[in-house]
Amino acid sequence: MSFFQVKDLGIRFGGVVAVDRVSFEVKRGECYTIIGPNGAGKTTIFNLIGLLYPATSGKIFFQDKELTGLSPHQVADLGIARTFQNIELFEHATVLQNLLIGRHRHRRTALWQELLFTPAVRRAELAQREAVEKVIDFLDLAKYRDSLVAGLPYGVRKVVELGRALATEPRLLLLDEPSSGLNPEETDDMAFWIEDIKRQLGVTVLMVEHDMNLVSRVSDRVLALNMGTVIAEGTPAEVQANPAVIEAYLGKAA
Amino acid sequence: MRFLFKTGYAQDLRLFKHGGQVFWYGLLMVLLLAAPYAIGEYLTSQLQFICIYSIVGLGLMLLVGFTGQISLGHAAFLAIGAYTEALMQARGVPFFVSLPCAALLSAAMGWVLGLPALRLKGIYLAIATLAFNVIVEEILARWESLTNGNSGLNLKPIELFGMKLDGDAGFYYLCLGLAMLSILAVLNLLRSPTGRAFVAIRDSEISASCMGVNLANYKTMSFALSAALAGIAGALYAHKVTFISPEQFTLLQSIELVTIVILGGVGFVHGAVLGAAFLIVLPQLISLAKDYLPADVAGTGLQSVVFGLVLIVIIIFEPLGLYGRWLKLRTWFELFPFYRRGMFRRQKSYMKSERLR
Amino acid sequence: MLQLLLAGVAQGCVYALVALGFVLIYKATETVNFAQGDLMMLGGFFALTASVMLGWPYWATILFAVAAMAAVGMLIERVVLRPVLGQPAFTVVMITIGVGYVLRGVVTMIPGWGTDTYTFPTPFADGTFKFGEVIFAEQQVAVIVMTAALVAVLYVFFRYSKLGVAMQATSQNQLAAAYMGIPVRRVNMMIWGLSAGVAAFAGILLAPATFVHSNMGFIGLKAFPAAVVGGFGSVPGAIVGGLIIGLVEAFAGRYMPEGFKDIAAYVVVLAVLMIKPSGIFGETARKKV
């Protein structure tokens, strides 16, 4: 049995084959990174895993449960959380509210209880809040707790989005380019957090990333994609040295 | 300026954040309770209207302001509530049974209308709800055996536990009570997971679904709750005007209801009440002003012109509505004399496409 | 049967023209102009003034009404719409609803217009001619021919003129258009003018059938389904949608129980939206994440 497995995954948009029979496996507790040049189909794979796009072929298994045929919110319910490349936060809500929405899959109260705000709802809310505060502590977001997301700088939003994904208490965390748009210092922080998420919280991380420093620092294994197909898999050092990968990034030597 | 020192998580769950709020809302409540004995019959009757419209306004605020779905068909829910109430009363069903029935039937229709909302966005949703409104109106006019068609239905005063609510005060307290309950229910909802899910859908559907929010459930739920509130308001409205006919529930009425939300301030519970109050007060002001205007201008068109102008002016200068204006005033007083011009200024911007959302 | 077809197409042409007005503005500014019907009404009144009160010939009347309405359209854009450029679409839609209220009200205040209903004279009056089995009413034929001509002119304008191309660019991406040196605000203004002009034209074609009065703009609410059926934002869609609605109405009026005619347009739009959530010609795109 494997923790997370993608088998022969493929999708075509019209005549374009964006992802072509990609297979890989993620082990529990590791950080697995997908790299590749722009347009290689990395984010598309994430969208396929999140079932935002219907896959043309292939299957996805999470803890031996097949994901195909579920809807996006059911994927989240299984304990798969994700962040987005270009940040998809709830702009007109505070950081705290954003993180609380992350707790949505742990909600246990019924509509009528909420309309009356019964003691059960109050207890549940306090418990949710405590869970969220742990994330706030972990990511050092306390000073932004009550600020509206719309007014926050990009780097902070990126962290808030990570926090929202963590608030769901995921078993598998998908990070779509966690360092894009961050300065070197913020990237450094991000690397620490990803390591901590893996070690302290024991969350398995599946990541798409460009920054090779970050990749080699945190990932256990790397998958290189080009034009929707797998060209290499292995440790960061192995993949970086692979001639096919170098060719994909730099072009063929003349 | 007031600083709140937070010492426990429960503090954020309170309805009133500090003593000042308790005092002011308490005072408002006392004034509202004393109103029928202080301000005379006519004004009490206007207050009844404000309560009724506040309830619809809350429903629309939930749907438009918090869930981000558009409805141009709320007059239809008002109609469903009103007709349910009228028909059940005519068959001798007591009010405390017929009112929940009106709400439930309305909610059921709202749920049905919510189903297309799963696939439709923006303008397409608006037109679907608009079409729903027109169709309901036509059915009410044509189903003569049940609704008496265009000749309408008459209602008797409400009897509640053997008491006849035919006086102004009695009916006023009923409206006020129901409005308060609705406000409380909406506030409760907004501090629980469901309310947060609504806001999540409003701000980013994709993100909401990736956080485990079942879009289909919550969208239809929002429609159903919103319709239920409109249904309750409809039942009260029917008793208030004592005669209902399909012409009272047209598309124009629906559009007017949406203006409650816009005028009051999208995304604020206060906005629903302020907007409703404004919608009722404005025609009164206009009819007062008519005496001082030349005959040509003071015709039937005056109300429409003033209403349109107010709508335009508020949207241009106060996108957050009346409640937004109030917030700014309050900030001005709190910061006096340090308020800067442009503190709330909007950035100049080009249109961002909303076609993809 | 053919008779009904003709009546339906003629009515559909008017819907199509109003729908075209909706679509032009929507395409360029993503605003649904709820005042479109009222612009049409105002155009009708302008034409009425020129032809009845001033006694101008029909063609001059058309030119006058279209030009005057184009000016009104541009004025509305400049005064009301420009300050809210970049605001959420829903806000802007509400502002056009406000504009509609104002227009409807103002018309009743103008001496000589008021709340009365007027007949609108046309050179085609009530003449008919026979072609095979079918009786053609001159009025209907004129409506169809004039609509076709207008659509052809608009097509050429968008395809070949510099302004037309600029308008298309603006509708695709305002920011990029601005960077390319297109004066986006001015183009938006032109589009409002154009759309109001088309509305005036529709008003003139509709006037003989419905008479001119301050509430004739409510027909805009029927053209609204037409624009949606075709797919909001698609010009051919508006024409096809208008024709569909016109035809359905004509046939519903004949073969369905009374009252169905008035809601036929809305039933059709609901049915179409169930099958294709963004209309027949509407593009379905999804957000990229």
Side-chain angles (χ1 to χ4, degrees), chain A residues 33-253:
Chain A
T33 305
I34 303 174
I35 63 166
N38 286 330
K42 306 177 300 284
T43 299
T44 310
I45 290 185
F46 270 29
N47 288 341
L48 287 171
I49 295 172
L51 302 183
L52 294 177
Y53 300 155
T56 331
S57 70
K59 286 176 175 168
I60 305 164
F61 297 94
F62 179 58
Q63 298 185 315
D64 284 333
K65 188 171 170 25
E66 198 183 331
L67 298 189
T68 336
L70 301 182
S71 38
H73 68 93
Q74 287 170 313
V75 174
D77 277 343
L78 288 175
I80 300 182
R82 72 171 287 183
T83 65
F84 298 86
Q85 192 174 346
N86 296 319
I87 304 191
E88 285 285 322
L89 282 167
F90 307 116
E91 295 281 324
H92 304 285
T94 63
V95 169
L96 180 65
Q97 284 168 329
N98 265 279
L99 299 192
L100 280 170
I101 291 167
R103 301 293 302 167
H104 187 85
R105 77 183 187 98
H106 300 281
R107 111 191 173 112
R108 293 288 173 270
T109 45
L111 180 65
W112 67 269
Q113 292 175 306
E114 291 176 3
L115 284 172
L116 300 172
F117 214 74
T118 57
V121 180
R122 181 176 296 272
R123 275 196 304 277
E125 280 300 290
L126 288 176
Q128 309 285 38
R129 179 71 190 269
E130 245 166 77
V132 162
E133 288 295 337
K134 274 187 201 139
V135 176
I136 290 181
D137 270 354
F138 183 78
L139 295 177
D140 212 8
L141 281 171
K143 64 179 160 183
Y144 302 112
R145 191 187 284 122
D146 291 319
S147 340
L148 280 182
V149 169
L152 291 177
Y154 192 86
V156 179
R157 290 152 161 247
K158 205 93 191 170
V159 180
V160 174
E161 207 185 30
L162 177 63
R164 188 179 64 181
L166 282 181
T168 67
E169 288 182 27
R171 270 180 278 226
L172 175 67
L173 182 61
L174 309 182
L175 300 177
D176 196 349
E177 302 205 12
S179 80
S180 74
L182 299 186
N183 63 31
E185 220 172 295
E186 290 165 334
T187 309
D188 212 38
D189 285 345
M190 189 58 83
F192 273 117
W193 278 321
I194 295 173
E195 281 179 329
D196 279 354
I197 289 167
K198 202 173 72 174
R199 300 233 172 83
Q200 278 184 21
L201 307 178
V203 176
T204 312
V205 177
L206 173 59
M207 177 168 86
V208 162
E209 182 51 64
H210 273 301
D211 185 330
M212 282 315 286
N213 271 331
L214 178 70
V215 171
S216 33
R217 201 169 132 188
V218 300
S219 8
D220 300 299
R221 287 191 302 149
V222 175
L223 177 86
L225 277 186
N226 190 24
M227 315 283 281
T229 50
V230 178
I231 51 174
E233 192 187 11
T235 65
E238 281 167 19
V239 171
Q240 262 178 305
N242 188 308
V245 176
I246 296 169
E247 194 189 303
Y249 274 95
L250 301 177
K252 227 183 186 94

Side-chain angles (χ1 to χ4, degrees), chain B residues 113-127:
Chain B
L113 184 62
L115 292 178
L118 304 178
R119 283 164 44 113
L120 303 179
K121 296 197 171 154
I123 181 61
Y124 298 102
L125 179 58
I127 184 76

Side-chain angles (χ1 to χ4, degrees), chain A residues 88 92 114-115 129 164, chain B residues 12 188 194 203-204 207 218:
Chain A
E88 285 285 322
H92 304 285
E114 291 176 3
L115 284 172
R129 179 71 190 269
R164 188 179 64 181
Chain B
D12 278 344
N188 281 341
T194 307
D203 283 1
S204 167
S207 207
Y218 282 92

Side-chain angles (χ1 to χ4, degrees), chain B residues 40-122:
Chain B
E41 237 172 67
Y42 179 72
L43 288 178
T44 309
S45 147
Q46 296 305 313
L47 274 181
Q48 291 168 354
F49 268 124
I50 292 178
C51 289
I52 294 171
Y53 274 73
S54 296
I55 299 176
V56 202
L58 276 170
L60 267 170
M61 193 60 87
L62 202 61
L63 187 68
V64 179
F66 291 106
T67 322
Q69 309 294 309
I70 297 169
S71 166
L72 292 177
H74 259 56
F77 297 122
L78 210 61
I80 291 168
Y83 271 90
T84 311
E85 174 65 23
L87 292 170
M88 289 184 99
Q89 196 198 32
R91 282 158 187 70
V93 180
F95 183 70
F96 66 90
V97 178
S98 63
L99 183 74
C101 284
L104 281 177
L105 190 66
S106 225
M109 292 304 288
W111 184 78
V112 171
L113 184 62
L115 292 178
L118 304 178
R119 283 164 44 113
L120 303 179
K121 296 197 171 154

Side-chain angles (χ1 to χ4, degrees), chain C residues 259-280:
Chain C
F260 199 81
K261 180 169 184 264
D262 296 327
I263 56 168
Y266 300 98
V267 176
V268 169
V269 81
L270 275 183
V272 168
L273 287 182
M274 287 296 156
I275 301 158
K276 278 210 79 185
S278 45
I280 297 172

